[in-house]
Amino acid sequence: MIFADDAACVALTDMPPRSEHELDPVTLHNQALMNMEQNPTEGFEKLQFLIQQNPFPPETFPNLLLLYVKYEVRDVLIEERYDIVSLELKLFVLAVLLFCLHCWLVIRNGNRLMKSPNQQFLI
C-alpha cells in the first residue's frame, strides 16, 4: 500500500547521507515513494531503475503500476509486463484502462452528437 507517513519521511531524511548508487534497493524504493508528491518524475525513474535490477523489492512493481494509474501515465501502463503481479492488480489495471477507453468513447461520440444531433452512433 502506498502512503507517505510523516514519521517515515523523517526517518529517511535522518539517515546518514549517501549517494543514490550507495543505497540499498529498499531504501531507494522508499525514497521514491516518499518523494512522489514533490517530484514524480524522479520517483518514476527510481522505481523503473529498481525493476530492472535482480532482485528488487517485491512491492516495487505493484507500486509502480498504481502510481502510473494515479498520475495517469496510461501509455506506459499499457506497455508494462504483468507476469509478476497478482491477478487482482492485473484486473484493477485492466479496469482503469477500460474506464479510460470508455470515457474517451463517450467524449468522442458526445462531440459527434453535438455536431449532428439526429445521428446515432455505436460504441
Side-chain angles (χ1 to χ4, degrees):
M1 178 173 211
I2 300 173
F3 67 96
D5 182 71
D6 291 337
C9 289
V10 170
L12 278 175
T13 57
D14 282 347
M15 295 177 68
R18 296 181 284 173
S19 61
E20 280 193 10
H21 72 275
E22 297 176 317
L23 295 176
D24 63 284
V26 173
T27 303
L28 189 61
H29 172 263
N30 291 341
Q31 281 187 349
L33 295 181
M34 294 300 169
N35 297 317
M36 280 303 287
E37 295 295 322
Q38 294 83 13
N39 192 346
T41 302
E42 184 178 299
F44 282 123
E45 288 172 358
K46 288 179 181 180
L47 293 173
Q48 289 166 348
F49 169 79
L50 280 173
I51 63 170
Q52 295 171 9
Q53 307 306 306
N54 192 11
F56 57 86
E59 299 84 5
T60 306
F61 193 65
N63 283 338
L64 183 59
L65 291 179
L66 293 173
L67 288 165
Y68 284 154
V69 170
K70 178 180 179 180
Y71 287 91
E72 299 180 357
V73 186
R74 293 183 195 102
D75 54 336
V76 177
L77 190 60
I78 292 169
E79 297 169 3
E80 280 296 349
R81 56 186 190 149
Y82 292 96
D83 54 326
I84 58 175
V85 295
S86 68
L87 177 61
E88 291 84 6
L89 187 56
K90 289 178 189 178
L91 292 174
F92 173 73
V93 171
L94 178 61
V96 168
L97 291 172
L98 288 173
F99 175 76
C100 294
L101 175 64
H102 176 73
C103 290
W104 178 81
L105 289 171
V106 168
I107 291 168
R108 184 191 71 179
N109 286 337
N111 288 338
R112 286 183 183 171
L113 187 59
M114 295 297 285
K115 293 176 184 172
S116 305
N118 296 329
Q119 189 175 357
Q120 292 184 354
F121 298 95
L122 298 175
I123 292 180

